[in-house]
């Protein structure tokens, strides 16, 4: 099996908060370490903005599993295993479309192998 090669940009092209669409799947790519060698990737669904009465500039995400099971924000019960995350719309630097998250993992792989990006 062969996967086509590609040129990687030195930095990731994240999704802007203004581009987020309700019900769309996104990928949160974070790193445990400062060297960015240990990635953690989560698949999330964007469920909305300012969902609570006093919210200003807050974005909300839900784990993809519970979303696909039909659990929704505001109607989730304590028995549901849904995981919701919220944060400032100015702090979504770790949210990507699939291809950009994949490229982030590729950059990580190159770093782990000791190669430098040019």
């Amino acid at each position: 099996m062969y996967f086509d090669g590609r040129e990687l940009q030195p930095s990731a092209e994240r999704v802007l908060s203004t581009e987020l669409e309700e019900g769309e799947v996104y990928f949160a790519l974070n790193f445990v370490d400062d060297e960015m060698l240990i990635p953690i990737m989560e698949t999330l669904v964007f469920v909305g903005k300012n969902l609570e009465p006093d919210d200003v500039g807050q974005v909300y995400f839900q784990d993809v599993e519970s979303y696909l099971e039909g659990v929704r924000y505001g109607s989730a019960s304590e028995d549901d295993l849904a995981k919701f995350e919220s944060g400032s719309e100015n702090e979504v630097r770790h949210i990507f479309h699939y291809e950009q998250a994949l490229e982030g993992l590729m950059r990580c792989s190159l770093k782990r192998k000791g190669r430098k990006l040019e």
Side-chain angles (χ1 to χ4, degrees):
M1 184 182 306
Y2 176 78
F3 189 86
D4 287 333
R6 63 175 82 186
E7 186 173 337
L8 299 176
Q9 299 300 319
S11 61
E13 184 182 322
R14 65 183 174 96
V15 175
L16 300 175
S17 63
T18 56
E19 299 171 334
L20 293 170
E21 295 182 37
E22 285 185 34
E24 289 296 315
V25 174
Y26 296 94
F27 299 85
L29 181 58
N30 290 293
F31 294 88
V32 185
D33 59 324
D34 292 335
E35 293 81 25
M36 298 175 72
L37 297 174
I38 305 170
I40 296 173
M41 191 162 100
E42 290 182 274
T43 307
L44 304 170
V45 177
F46 178 64
V47 295
K49 182 177 173 182
N50 299 328
L51 298 179
E52 294 295 323
D54 294 333
D55 280 355
V56 175
Q58 293 292 300
V59 291
Y60 288 76
F61 293 90
Q62 179 178 348
D63 69 286
V64 70
E65 294 91 350
S66 68
Y67 186 87
L68 292 175
E69 289 174 1
V71 178
R72 296 296 181 263
Y73 188 87
S75 65
S77 71
E78 289 185 21
D79 295 335
D80 292 322
L81 297 177
K83 179 180 166 190
F84 296 95
E85 299 177 18
S86 67
S88 170
E89 65 185 349
N90 298 322
E91 299 293 326
V92 292
R93 292 185 300 263
H94 64 295
I95 302 295
F96 301 92
H97 291 288
Y98 178 77
E99 288 296 321
Q100 287 69 34
L102 176 61
E103 288 182 0
L105 292 172
M106 288 177 183
R107 278 190 292 281
C108 176
S109 178
L110 291 173
K111 283 183 184 181
R112 291 172 67 93
K113 291 179 182 177
R115 297 182 189 173
K116 293 185 180 179
L117 296 178
E118 299 174 7

